[in-house]
Amino acid sequence: MTARVFIDGAAGTTGLEILERLAPRSEFELVVLDDVQRKSADARRDAYHAADFAVLCLPDDAAIEAVALAEGAKVRIVDASSAHRVAQGWTYGFPEITGREKIANAARVSNPGCYPTGFIALLAPLIRNGLLPADWPYVCHAVSGYSGGGKALIARFEDDTDIAYRDYGLALGHKHVPEMQRYAELGNEPVFAPAVIPAHRGMVVEVPLHLSMMERAAPVDGLRQCLQLFYQSSEVVTLHADTPDELLLRRSAEPSDRLDLYVFGAKDGRQARLVAVLDNLGKGASGAAVQNLNLMAGLPETAGLSL
Ligand SMILES: NC(=O)C1=CN([C@@H]2O[C@H](COP(=O)(O)OP(=O)(O)OC[C@H]3O[C@@H](n4cnc5c(N)ncnc54)[C@H](OP(=O)(O)O)[C@@H]3O)[C@@H](O)[C@H]2O)C=CC1
Ligand SMILES: CC(=O)N[C@@H](CCC(=O)OP(=O)(O)O)C(=O)O
């Protein structure tokens, strides 16, 4: 039986990539509104009430409105926005961290943010297993391709090709911080320092660690081994045992739904750098939405993903 999937926001950056991943698949019948109807509340309400699943690829306020439009319908929702990531009644759509069964049975699933995907993937297993302290003041530095800011940031970087680096979030309190704290299971808000680079897609998320200053921290090999065991059955997330001299993002990189993790350590073991490399539009958004949709529809988790 085919499942009807309404993509609300299919003309946007994330929506288009979800469309591309789902269009070739016979398990899904896609519902997409045309340019005249795509912002009509009536047309969207009808689409929600006729669908089995919906993926919200909208700004936060429109995602909240969408959930109200879907009230009373049997539709099950995956929300790519940040509106419901720490909201009651929503399941956090990170299969490797939340557990696949919870997502498979959920009616409301909130996709993780792109930066939190890297941060939580690195820290949650280590903190859960007691290899790093939960009450440490963690810091996260990250860079993202400009598609991470949707159509508006894409237009800005394509219009002004002179921008070499955009530091932002400088007032702190970035909207991703609550989900980073909650799902990495931290006692304190992390300091989050994001930046944008002049590449369309791709992202590096890094957590530097002063291991020697922590009372309870495992050695670098222990951190690596824990992540390797935690993700050993995952086709999407890989802990790399090697420690290359550099990690590169390439402008020409193909879209990818992978998440690659590294643990780098100083020779004397006093400091380490946890690093996640991903595609903000892949496991950071559209790939994650498709992975969640697969689980909710009872299909193979990685169907339609580029790994
Ligand atoms: N880009 C990324 O890497 C990631 C994005 N996300 C999240 O996914 C969501 C979508 O982001 P993204 O695709 O980048 O954003 P875009 O700005 O590229 O796309 C958003 C789309 O939503 C449409 N839209 C806005 N308001 C409404 C409305 N009321 N009804 C129907 N459609 C509406 C826009 O229309 P119009 O075309 O007319 O502007 C646009 O097509 C956001 O919440 C974002 O934070 C999450 C993780 C990563
Ligand atoms: C480069 C850039 O602007 N990135 C966005 C986050 C993209 C993303 O993860 O979307 P959500 O906010 O829905 O999680 C930002 O920092 O607000």
Side-chain angles (χ1 to χ4, degrees):
M1 207 182 77
T2 56
R4 279 172 76 88
V5 181
F6 172 40
I7 305 177
D8 198 357
T13 314
T14 303
L16 275 174
E17 295 239 349
I18 292 174
L19 201 59
E20 276 167 19
R21 284 164 173 73
L22 296 184
R25 296 180 56 186
S26 56
E27 309 96 307
F28 297 116
E29 180 194 338
L30 300 185
V31 180
V32 172
L33 298 177
D34 64 23
D35 251 3
V36 178
Q37 297 223 294
R38 69 190 174 90
K39 287 188 182 169
S40 146
D42 287 341
R44 291 166 66 215
R45 186 183 298 103
D46 288 349
Y48 281 110
H49 285 256
D52 300 300
F53 297 98
V55 191
L56 315 187
C57 308
L58 304 163
D60 285 6
D61 52 352
I64 290 166
E65 185 202 357
V67 175
L69 292 174
E71 216 173 281
K74 65 173 174 39
V75 66
R76 296 168 70 199
I77 294 177
V78 178
D79 182 6
S81 85
S82 56
H84 301 105
R85 297 200 182 129
V86 293
Q88 255 200 335
W90 287 75
T91 300
Y92 197 57
F94 200 149
E96 298 81 358
I97 300 291
T98 308
R100 290 165 176 82
E101 213 169 300
K102 279 192 193 151
I103 294 167
N105 294 319
R108 298 283 180 269
V109 172
S110 182
N111 246 20
C114 47
Y115 296 114
T117 297
F119 181 79
I120 293 162
L122 290 165
L123 278 185
L126 300 175
I127 287 171
R128 269 187 207 175
N129 287 293
L131 276 76
L132 288 177
D135 58 357
W136 187 257
Y138 290 97
V139 171
C140 176
H141 178 259
V143 294
S144 170
Y146 52 76
S147 62
K151 288 169 98 171
L153 199 65
I154 294 171
R156 182 169 170 208
F157 268 74
E158 288 181 354
D159 286 351
D160 183 354
T161 53
D162 197 37
I163 301 174
Y165 186 86
R166 172 181 178 248
D167 212 350
Y168 76 112
L170 298 167
L172 295 125
H174 188 284
K175 64 178 178 172
H176 286 172
V177 170
E179 63 179 297
M180 291 164 83
Q181 179 176 0
R182 176 173 305 180
Y183 301 107
E185 302 173 24
L186 307 183
N188 304 301
E189 279 187 347
V191 172
F192 177 41
V196 185
I197 52 170
H200 185 260
R201 61 200 302 150
M203 143 172 287
V204 179
V205 181
E206 167 155 358
V207 183
L209 298 173
H210 287 282
L211 293 179
S212 64
M213 294 172 74
M214 296 173 175
E215 269 179 31
R216 288 163 284 107
V220 170
D221 280 351
L223 303 179
R224 206 175 277 133
Q225 195 183 15
C226 172
L227 291 173
Q228 196 275 326
L229 280 174
F230 192 87
Y231 294 113
Q232 66 182 347
S233 62
S234 171
E235 289 174 63
V236 175
V237 188
T238 304
L239 183 279
H240 292 264
D242 59 327
T243 52
D245 292 336
E246 59 181 15
L247 293 173
L248 297 177
L249 290 180
R250 290 209 169 270
R251 287 204 176 89
S252 57
E254 291 294 323
S256 162
D257 296 314
R258 298 177 51 77
L259 171 55
D260 293 293
L261 307 182
Y262 298 85
V263 178
F264 298 92
K267 279 205 180 76
D268 62 9
R270 292 168 62 81
Q271 298 186 339
R273 295 170 64 175
L274 310 179
V275 183
V277 182
L278 65 152
D279 180 343
N280 55 293
L281 292 176
K283 180 64 171 166
S286 310
V290 171
Q291 193 180 353
N292 287 326
L293 194 61
N294 284 337
L295 288 168
M296 293 165 80
L299 298 167
E301 182 183 352
T302 56
L305 299 186
S306 302
L307 298 173

Coordinates of all heavy atoms in Angstrom, one line a residue, residues 92-100 112 115-129 183-185 207 222-241 257-263 274-278 283 291 301-302 307:
Y92 N 11.7 13.3 19.7 CA 12.9 13.9 19.0 C 13.4 12.9 18.0 O 13.7 11.7 18.3 CB 14.0 14.1 20.1 CG 15.1 15.1 19.6 CD1 14.8 16.4 19.2 CD2 16.4 14.7 19.7 CE1 15.8 17.2 18.8 CE2 17.4 15.5 19.3 CZ 17.1 16.8 18.8 OH 18.1 17.7 18.5
G93 N 13.4 13.3 16.7 CA 13.6 12.4 15.6 C 15.1 12.1 15.3 O 15.5 12.4 14.2
F94 N 15.7 11.6 16.3 CA 17.2 11.2 16.1 C 17.2 9.7 16.4 O 17.5 9.3 17.6 CB 18.0 12.0 17.1 CG 19.5 12.1 16.7 CD1 20.2 13.3 17.1 CD2 20.1 11.1 16.1 CE1 21.5 13.4 16.7 CE2 21.5 11.2 15.7 CZ 22.2 12.4 16.1
P95 N 17.0 8.9 15.4 CA 16.8 7.4 15.7 C 17.9 6.8 16.5 O 17.7 6.0 17.4 CB 16.8 6.8 14.3 CG 16.4 7.9 13.4 CD 16.9 9.2 14.0
E96 N 19.2 7.2 16.2 CA 20.3 6.6 16.9 C 20.4 7.0 18.4 O 21.0 6.3 19.2 CB 21.6 7.1 16.2 CG 21.8 6.7 14.7 CD 21.0 7.6 13.8 OE1 20.4 8.5 14.2 OE2 21.1 7.3 12.5
I97 N 19.8 8.1 18.7 CA 19.8 8.6 20.1 C 18.5 8.4 20.9 O 18.5 7.9 22.0 CB 20.1 10.1 20.1 CG1 21.5 10.4 19.4 CG2 20.1 10.7 21.5 CD1 22.7 9.9 20.2
T98 N 17.4 8.6 20.2 CA 16.1 8.5 20.8 C 15.6 7.0 20.9 O 14.9 6.7 21.8 CB 15.1 9.3 20.0 OG1 15.5 10.6 19.7 CG2 13.7 9.3 20.6
G99 N 16.1 6.3 19.9 CA 15.6 4.9 19.8 C 14.6 4.8 18.6 O 13.7 5.6 18.5
R100 N 14.8 3.8 17.8 CA 14.0 3.7 16.6 C 12.5 3.4 16.8 O 11.6 3.9 16.1 CB 14.6 2.6 15.7 CG 15.9 3.0 15.1 CD 16.7 1.9 14.5 NE 18.0 2.5 13.9 CZ 19.1 2.8 14.6 NH1 19.1 2.6 15.9 NH2 20.1 3.3 14.0
P112 N 15.8 16.8 14.5 CA 16.9 17.6 15.1 C 17.4 18.8 14.3 O 17.3 18.7 13.0 CB 18.0 16.7 15.4 CG 17.4 15.3 15.2 CD 16.3 15.5 14.3
Y115 N 23.0 21.6 13.4 CA 24.2 21.7 14.4 C 24.0 20.7 15.5 O 24.9 20.0 15.9 CB 24.4 23.1 14.9 CG 24.7 24.2 14.0 CD1 23.9 25.2 13.7 CD2 26.0 24.2 13.3 CE1 24.2 26.3 12.9 CE2 26.4 25.3 12.5 CZ 25.5 26.3 12.3 OH 25.8 27.4 11.5
P116 N 22.8 20.7 16.2 CA 22.6 19.8 17.3 C 22.8 18.3 16.9 O 23.2 17.5 17.7 CB 21.2 20.0 17.7 CG 20.9 21.4 17.3 CD 21.7 21.6 16.0
T117 N 22.6 18.0 15.6 CA 22.8 16.6 15.1 C 24.3 16.2 15.4 O 24.5 15.1 16.0 CB 22.5 16.5 13.6 OG1 21.1 16.7 13.5 CG2 22.8 15.1 13.1
G118 N 25.2 17.0 15.0 CA 26.6 16.7 15.3 C 27.0 16.7 16.7 O 27.6 15.8 17.3
F119 N 26.5 17.8 17.4 CA 26.8 17.9 18.8 C 26.3 16.8 19.7 O 27.0 16.2 20.5 CB 26.2 19.3 19.3 CG 26.5 19.6 20.7 CD1 27.7 20.2 21.1 CD2 25.5 19.5 21.7 CE1 28.0 20.5 22.4 CE2 25.8 19.8 23.0 CZ 27.0 20.3 23.4
I120 N 25.0 16.4 19.5 CA 24.4 15.4 20.3 C 25.0 14.0 20.0 O 25.2 13.2 20.8 CB 22.9 15.4 20.1 CG1 22.3 16.7 20.7 CG2 22.2 14.2 20.7 CD1 20.9 17.1 20.2
A121 N 25.3 13.8 18.7 CA 25.8 12.5 18.3 C 27.2 12.3 19.0 O 27.5 11.2 19.4 CB 26.0 12.5 16.8
L122 N 28.0 13.4 19.1 CA 29.3 13.2 19.7 C 29.2 13.0 21.3 O 29.8 12.2 21.8 CB 30.1 14.5 19.5 CG 30.6 14.7 18.0 CD1 31.1 16.1 17.8 CD2 31.7 13.6 17.7
L123 N 28.3 13.9 21.9 CA 28.4 13.9 23.4 C 27.4 12.9 24.0 O 27.8 12.4 25.1 CB 28.0 15.3 23.9 CG 29.2 16.3 23.9 CD1 28.8 17.6 24.5 CD2 30.4 15.7 24.6
A124 N 26.2 12.7 23.5 CA 25.2 11.9 24.3 C 25.7 10.5 24.7 O 25.6 10.2 25.8 CB 23.9 11.8 23.5
P125 N 26.3 9.8 23.7 CA 26.8 8.4 24.2 C 27.8 8.5 25.2 O 27.9 7.6 26.1 CB 27.3 7.8 22.9 CG 26.8 8.6 21.8 CD 26.6 10.0 22.3
L126 N 28.7 9.5 25.2 CA 29.8 9.6 26.1 C 29.3 10.0 27.5 O 29.8 9.5 28.5 CB 30.9 10.6 25.6 CG 31.5 10.3 24.3 CD1 32.4 11.4 23.8 CD2 32.2 8.9 24.3
I127 N 28.3 10.8 27.5 CA 27.8 11.3 28.8 C 26.9 10.2 29.4 O 27.0 9.9 30.6 CB 27.1 12.6 28.7 CG1 28.2 13.7 28.5 CG2 26.2 13.0 29.9 CD1 27.8 15.0 28.1
R128 N 26.0 9.6 28.6 CA 25.2 8.5 29.1 C 26.0 7.4 29.7 O 25.6 6.8 30.7 CB 24.5 7.9 27.9 CG 23.1 8.5 27.6 CD 22.5 7.7 26.6 NE 21.5 8.5 25.9 CZ 20.9 8.1 24.8 NH1 21.0 6.9 24.3 NH2 20.0 9.0 24.2
N129 N 27.1 7.1 29.1 CA 28.0 6.0 29.6 C 29.0 6.4 30.6 O 29.9 5.6 31.0 CB 28.7 5.3 28.4 CG 27.7 4.5 27.6 OD1 27.1 3.5 28.1 ND2 27.3 4.9 26.4
Y183 N 19.2 16.9 24.8 CA 19.4 15.6 24.3 C 20.9 15.1 24.4 O 21.1 13.9 24.2 CB 18.9 15.5 22.8 CG 17.4 15.8 22.8 CD1 16.9 17.1 22.3 CD2 16.5 15.0 23.3 CE1 15.6 17.4 22.3 CE2 15.1 15.3 23.4 CZ 14.7 16.5 22.9 OH 13.3 16.8 22.9
A184 N 21.8 16.0 24.7 CA 23.1 15.6 25.1 C 23.2 15.3 26.6 O 24.2 14.8 27.1 CB 24.2 16.6 24.7
E185 N 22.0 15.6 27.3 CA 21.9 15.3 28.7 C 22.9 16.0 29.5 O 23.6 15.5 30.4 CB 21.9 13.8 28.9 CG 20.8 13.1 28.1 CD 20.9 11.5 28.2 OE1 21.5 11.0 29.1 OE2 20.4 10.9 27.2
V207 N 33.6 19.9 19.3 CA 33.5 20.1 20.8 C 35.0 19.9 21.3 O 35.5 18.8 21.4 CB 32.6 19.1 21.5 CG1 32.5 19.3 23.0 CG2 31.2 19.1 20.8
G222 N 39.3 5.6 25.1 CA 38.0 5.1 25.7 C 36.9 5.9 25.0 O 35.8 5.3 24.8
L223 N 37.1 7.2 24.7 CA 36.0 8.0 24.1 C 35.7 7.4 22.7 O 34.6 7.2 22.3 CB 36.4 9.4 24.0 CG 36.8 10.2 25.2 CD1 37.2 11.6 24.9 CD2 35.7 10.2 26.3
R224 N 36.8 7.1 22.0 CA 36.7 6.6 20.6 C 36.0 5.2 20.6 O 35.1 5.0 19.8 CB 38.1 6.5 20.0 CG 38.1 6.6 18.6 CD 39.6 6.6 18.1 NE 40.2 7.9 18.1 CZ 41.4 8.1 18.6 NH1 42.2 7.1 19.1 NH2 41.9 9.3 18.6
Q225 N 36.4 4.4 21.6 CA 35.8 3.0 21.6 C 34.3 3.1 22.0 O 33.5 2.3 21.4 CB 36.6 2.2 22.7 CG 36.3 0.8 22.6 CD 37.0 0.0 23.7 OE1 37.5 0.6 24.7 NE2 37.1 -1.3 23.6
C226 N 34.0 4.0 22.9 CA 32.5 4.1 23.2 C 31.7 4.5 22.0 O 30.6 3.9 21.8 CB 32.4 5.1 24.4 SG 30.7 5.5 24.8
L227 N 32.2 5.5 21.3 CA 31.4 6.0 20.1 C 31.4 4.9 19.0 O 30.3 4.7 18.4 CB 32.0 7.3 19.6 CG 31.8 8.5 20.5 CD1 32.6 9.7 19.9 CD2 30.3 8.8 20.6
Q228 N 32.5 4.2 18.9 CA 32.5 3.1 17.9 C 31.5 2.0 18.2 O 30.7 1.6 17.4 CB 33.9 2.5 17.9 CG 34.2 1.7 16.6 CD 33.8 0.2 16.8 OE1 33.8 -0.3 17.9 NE2 33.3 -0.4 15.7
L229 N 31.4 1.6 19.5 CA 30.4 0.6 19.9 C 29.0 1.1 19.8 O 28.1 0.4 19.3 CB 30.7 0.2 21.4 CG 31.8 -0.8 21.6 CD1 32.0 -0.9 23.1 CD2 31.5 -2.1 21.0
F230 N 28.8 2.4 20.2 CA 27.5 2.9 20.1 C 26.9 3.0 18.7 O 25.7 2.7 18.5 CB 27.5 4.4 20.7 CG 26.2 4.9 21.0 CD1 25.5 4.7 22.2 CD2 25.5 5.7 20.1 CE1 24.3 5.2 22.5 CE2 24.2 6.2 20.3 CZ 23.6 6.0 21.5
Y231 N 27.7 3.3 17.7 CA 27.2 3.4 16.4 C 27.6 2.2 15.5 O 27.4 2.3 14.3 CB 27.8 4.7 15.7 CG 27.3 5.9 16.4 CD1 28.1 6.8 17.2 CD2 25.9 6.3 16.4 CE1 27.6 7.9 17.8 CE2 25.4 7.4 17.0 CZ 26.3 8.2 17.8 OH 25.8 9.3 18.4
Q232 N 28.0 1.1 16.0 CA 28.5 0.0 15.2 C 27.4 -0.5 14.3 O 27.7 -1.0 13.2 CB 29.2 -1.0 16.0 CG 28.3 -1.8 16.9 CD 29.1 -2.8 17.7 OE1 30.3 -3.1 17.4 NE2 28.5 -3.4 18.8
S233 N 26.2 -0.5 14.7 CA 25.1 -1.1 13.9 C 24.5 0.0 12.9 O 23.6 -0.4 12.2 CB 24.1 -1.7 14.7 OG 23.5 -0.7 15.5
S234 N 24.9 1.2 13.0 CA 24.3 2.2 12.2 C 24.9 2.3 10.8 O 26.1 2.3 10.6 CB 24.5 3.6 12.9 OG 24.1 4.6 12.0
E235 N 24.0 2.4 9.8 CA 24.5 2.6 8.4 C 24.7 4.1 8.1 O 25.3 4.5 7.1 CB 23.4 2.1 7.4 CG 23.3 0.6 7.4 CD 22.1 0.3 6.5 OE1 22.2 0.6 5.3 OE2 21.1 -0.3 7.0
V236 N 24.2 5.0 9.0 CA 24.3 6.4 8.8 C 25.4 7.1 9.5 O 26.1 7.9 9.0 CB 22.9 7.1 9.2 CG1 23.0 8.6 9.1 CG2 21.8 6.5 8.4
V237 N 25.7 6.6 10.7 CA 26.7 7.3 11.6 C 27.9 6.4 11.7 O 27.8 5.2 12.0 CB 26.1 7.6 13.0 CG1 27.1 8.4 13.8 CG2 24.8 8.2 13.0
T238 N 29.1 7.0 11.5 CA 30.3 6.2 11.6 C 31.3 6.9 12.5 O 31.6 8.1 12.3 CB 31.0 6.1 10.2 OG1 30.0 5.5 9.3 CG2 32.2 5.2 10.2
L239 N 31.9 6.2 13.4 CA 33.0 6.7 14.1 C 34.3 6.2 13.4 O 34.5 5.0 13.2 CB 33.0 6.2 15.6 CG 34.1 6.7 16.6 CD1 35.4 5.9 16.4 CD2 34.3 8.2 16.5
H240 N 35.1 7.2 12.9 CA 36.3 6.8 12.2 C 37.4 6.6 13.2 O 37.7 7.4 14.0 CB 36.7 7.9 11.2 CG 35.6 8.0 10.1 ND1 35.8 7.4 8.9 CD2 34.4 8.6 10.1 CE1 34.7 7.7 8.1 NE2 33.9 8.4 8.8
A241 N 38.1 5.4 13.0 CA 39.2 5.1 14.0 C 40.4 5.9 13.6 O 41.3 6.1 14.5 CB 39.5 3.6 13.9
D257 N 23.8 11.8 3.2 CA 23.0 11.7 4.4 C 23.8 11.0 5.5 O 23.2 10.6 6.5 CB 21.7 10.8 4.1 CG 20.8 11.6 3.1 OD1 20.6 12.8 3.3 OD2 20.4 11.0 2.1
R258 N 25.1 11.0 5.4 CA 26.0 10.4 6.4 C 26.3 11.3 7.5 O 26.1 12.6 7.4 CB 27.3 10.0 5.7 CG 27.3 9.0 4.6 CD 28.7 8.9 4.1 NE 29.7 8.6 5.1 CZ 29.8 7.4 5.7 NH1 29.1 6.4 5.3 NH2 30.7 7.2 6.7
L259 N 26.8 10.8 8.6 CA 27.3 11.6 9.7 C 28.6 10.9 10.1 O 28.6 9.7 10.5 CB 26.3 11.6 10.9 CG 26.7 12.2 12.2 CD1 27.2 13.6 12.0 CD2 25.5 12.2 13.2
D260 N 29.7 11.6 10.0 CA 31.0 11.1 10.3 C 31.6 11.7 11.5 O 31.7 12.9 11.6 CB 31.9 11.3 9.1 CG 31.5 10.5 7.8 OD1 31.5 9.2 7.9 OD2 30.9 11.1 6.9
L261 N 32.0 10.8 12.4 CA 32.5 11.3 13.7 C 34.0 11.0 13.9 O 34.5 9.9 13.4 CB 31.8 10.7 14.9 CG 30.2 10.8 14.8 CD1 29.6 10.1 16.1 CD2 29.8 12.2 14.7
Y262 N 34.7 11.9 14.5 CA 36.2 11.7 14.8 C 36.5 12.1 16.3 O 35.9 13.0 16.8 CB 37.0 12.6 13.9 CG 36.9 12.3 12.4 CD1 35.8 12.8 11.7 CD2 37.8 11.4 11.8 CE1 35.6 12.6 10.3 CE2 37.6 11.2 10.4 CZ 36.6 11.7 9.7 OH 36.4 11.5 8.4
V263 N 37.4 11.4 16.8 CA 38.0 11.9 18.1 C 39.5 12.1 18.0 O 40.2 11.1 17.6 CB 37.7 10.8 19.2 CG1 38.3 11.2 20.6 CG2 36.2 10.5 19.4
L274 N 36.4 16.6 19.7 CA 35.4 15.7 19.1 C 34.9 16.5 17.9 O 34.5 17.6 18.0 CB 34.2 15.5 20.1 CG 34.6 15.0 21.5 CD1 33.3 14.9 22.3 CD2 35.4 13.7 21.5
V275 N 34.8 15.8 16.7 CA 34.4 16.5 15.5 C 33.4 15.6 14.7 O 33.6 14.4 14.6 CB 35.7 16.7 14.6 CG1 35.3 17.5 13.4 CG2 36.8 17.5 15.4
A276 N 32.4 16.3 14.3 CA 31.3 15.7 13.5 C 31.3 16.4 12.1 O 31.3 17.6 12.0 CB 30.0 15.8 14.1
V277 N 31.3 15.6 11.0 CA 31.2 16.2 9.7 C 29.9 15.7 9.1 O 29.6 14.4 9.1 CB 32.4 15.7 8.8 CG1 32.3 16.4 7.4 CG2 33.7 16.1 9.5
L278 N 29.1 16.6 8.5 CA 27.8 16.2 7.9 C 27.4 17.2 6.9 O 28.0 18.2 6.7 CB 26.7 16.0 9.0 CG 26.2 17.2 9.8 CD1 24.8 17.0 10.2 CD2 27.1 17.4 11.0
K283 N 21.8 14.5 6.7 CA 21.5 14.1 8.1 C 21.1 15.3 8.9 O 20.4 15.2 9.9 CB 22.6 13.4 8.7 CG 22.4 12.8 10.1 CD 21.4 11.8 10.3 CE 21.3 11.1 11.7 NZ 20.1 10.4 11.9
Q291 N 14.7 9.5 6.9 CA 15.0 8.4 7.8 C 13.8 8.2 8.8 O 13.4 7.1 9.1 CB 16.3 8.7 8.6 CG 16.9 7.5 9.3 CD 18.2 7.9 10.0 OE1 18.7 9.0 9.9 NE2 18.7 7.0 10.9
E301 N 15.0 1.6 7.3 CA 15.3 2.9 7.8 C 16.1 3.8 6.8 O 15.9 5.0 6.8 CB 16.2 2.7 9.1 CG 16.6 3.9 9.8 CD 17.5 3.6 11.0 OE1 17.7 2.4 11.3 OE2 18.1 4.6 11.5
T302 N 17.0 3.2 6.0 CA 17.8 4.0 5.2 C 17.4 4.0 3.7 O 18.1 4.5 2.9 CB 19.3 3.5 5.3 OG1 19.3 2.1 4.9 CG2 19.9 3.6 6.7
L307 N 24.3 7.2 1.2 CA 25.2 6.9 2.3 C 26.6 6.5 1.8 O 26.7 6.2 0.6 CB 24.6 5.7 3.1 CG 23.3 6.1 3.8 CD1 22.7 4.8 4.5 CD2 23.4 7.2 4.8

